[in-house]
């Protein structure tokens, strides 16, 4: 009987060790999978950021025209402007080569430029509402790659949601984005965040600062 009791105790101990080992292995695999997914996400965002080209081509203090293109890859781009009061921003959009006049800066050299100072007739960008916990901004402190908008801003709307513009850009398609800032906003700079949609969330891949003179 004593031998049987010892055997049973040993089997129980072995079973406990096996259960602990299986649980630890499952936790390790889950943790490694999460780390791999995070590394893949950061790698993707770094690549897409390097393929995103932006520049301000016109600005008068409240109205700005931004050149935007994505090299090599198509993308769903979300546009968010930070540093503005609620309702103080309007987005408009026009694709290069569409619906506006073409002039020539030097007829002999044939160098084209666009009548971007005519701010009439621009098409509005479709909008979407995104929860602030689904909007990821590059961490300015550098302690982590990204932080949510709710962590980044302390003056979000009570609903915790923000309105963003939405564009679908073909590979190497140059587009012009007009951003209108309302006058008399209590800011000195507005930050246009160019964001990439991934799994119903938005991740910052470029930033265009707009000096405000309203």
């Amino acid at each position: 009987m004593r031998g049987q009791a010892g055997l049973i105790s040993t089997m129980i101990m072995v079973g406990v060790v096996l259960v602990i080992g299986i649980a630890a292995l499952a936790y390790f695999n889950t943790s490694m999978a999460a780390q791999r997914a995070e590394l893949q996400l950061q790698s993707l965002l770094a690549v897409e950021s390097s393929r995103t080209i932006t520049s301000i081509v016109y600005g008068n203090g409240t109205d700005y025209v931004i050149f935007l293109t994505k090299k090599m890859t198509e993308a769903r781009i979300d546009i968010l402007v930070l540093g503005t009061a609620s309702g103080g921003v309007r987005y408009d959009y026009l694709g290069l080569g569409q619906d506006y006049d073409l002039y020539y800066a030097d007829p002999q050299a044939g160098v084209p430029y666009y009548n971007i100072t005519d701010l009439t007739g621009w098409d509005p960008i479709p909008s979407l509402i995104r929860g602030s916990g689904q909007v990821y901004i590059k961490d300015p402190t550098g302690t982590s790659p990204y932080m949510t908008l709710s962590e980044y801003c302390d003056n979000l709307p009570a609903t915790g949601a923000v309105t963003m513009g939405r564009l679908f850009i073909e590979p190497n398609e140059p587009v012009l984005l007009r951003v209108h800032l309302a006058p008399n906003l209590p800011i000195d700079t507005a930050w246009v965040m160019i964001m990439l949609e991934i799994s119903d969330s938005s991740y910052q891949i470029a930033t265009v600062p707009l000096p405000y003179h309203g």
Side-chain angles (χ1 to χ4, degrees):
M1 294 294 293
R2 290 182 179 177
Q4 290 181 347
L7 179 60
I8 292 173
S9 298
T10 301
M11 293 176 63
I12 291 174
M13 290 299 296
V14 170
V16 170
V17 170
L18 286 174
V19 169
I20 293 174
I22 291 171
L25 181 61
Y27 174 80
F28 175 79
N29 288 337
T30 301
S31 178
M32 288 298 294
Q35 291 182 21
R36 284 196 298 269
E38 180 65 21
L39 288 174
Q40 290 173 350
L41 174 61
Q42 298 306 325
S43 177
L44 171 64
L45 292 172
V47 169
E48 293 302 320
S49 180
S50 69
R51 294 174 174 175
T52 305
I53 299 174
T54 62
S55 64
I56 299 175
V57 293
Y58 173 76
N60 62 12
T62 56
D63 286 283
Y64 291 87
V65 178
I66 299 170
F67 172 88
L68 169 64
T69 190
K70 283 286 282 90
K71 293 163 51 179
M72 300 176 64
T73 54
E74 64 185 21
R76 292 186 185 276
I77 296 295
D78 296 336
I79 310 295
L80 175 67
V81 180
L82 296 180
T84 59
S86 176
V89 178
R90 186 178 74 244
Y91 311 97
D92 295 301
Y93 159 78
L94 204 65
L96 283 179
Q98 301 174 7
D99 304 326
Y100 61 96
D101 296 330
L102 176 67
Y103 299 91
Y104 287 89
D106 185 346
Q108 291 183 339
V111 179
Y113 73 92
Y114 301 93
N115 185 21
I116 55 178
T117 59
D118 182 3
L119 298 175
T120 61
W122 291 66
D123 296 327
I125 291 180
S127 62
L128 74 156
I129 296 176
R130 185 87 82 189
S132 58
Q134 297 171 284
V135 179
Y136 291 87
I137 305 295
K138 290 182 180 179
D139 186 353
T141 65
T143 55
S144 61
Y146 281 83
M147 60 195 310
T148 65
L149 187 62
S150 55
E151 296 171 320
Y152 185 83
C153 297
D154 57 5
N155 59 344
L156 292 174
T159 59
V162 291
T163 301
M164 309 174 70
R166 159 60 59 83
L167 292 175
F168 182 80
I169 300 181
E170 297 286 349
N172 304 308
E173 175 194 7
V175 295
L176 293 177
L177 169 72
R178 177 192 173 192
V179 178
H180 170 76
L181 305 175
N184 302 318
L185 294 175
I187 61 172
D188 55 15
T189 304
W191 303 88
V192 180
M193 301 292 185
I194 310 299
M195 316 194 81
L196 184 69
E197 183 192 47
I198 301 176
S199 301
D200 295 325
S201 293
S202 302
Y203 292 84
Q204 177 191 347
I205 56 174
T207 306
V208 184
L210 307 180
Y212 178 69
H213 307 291

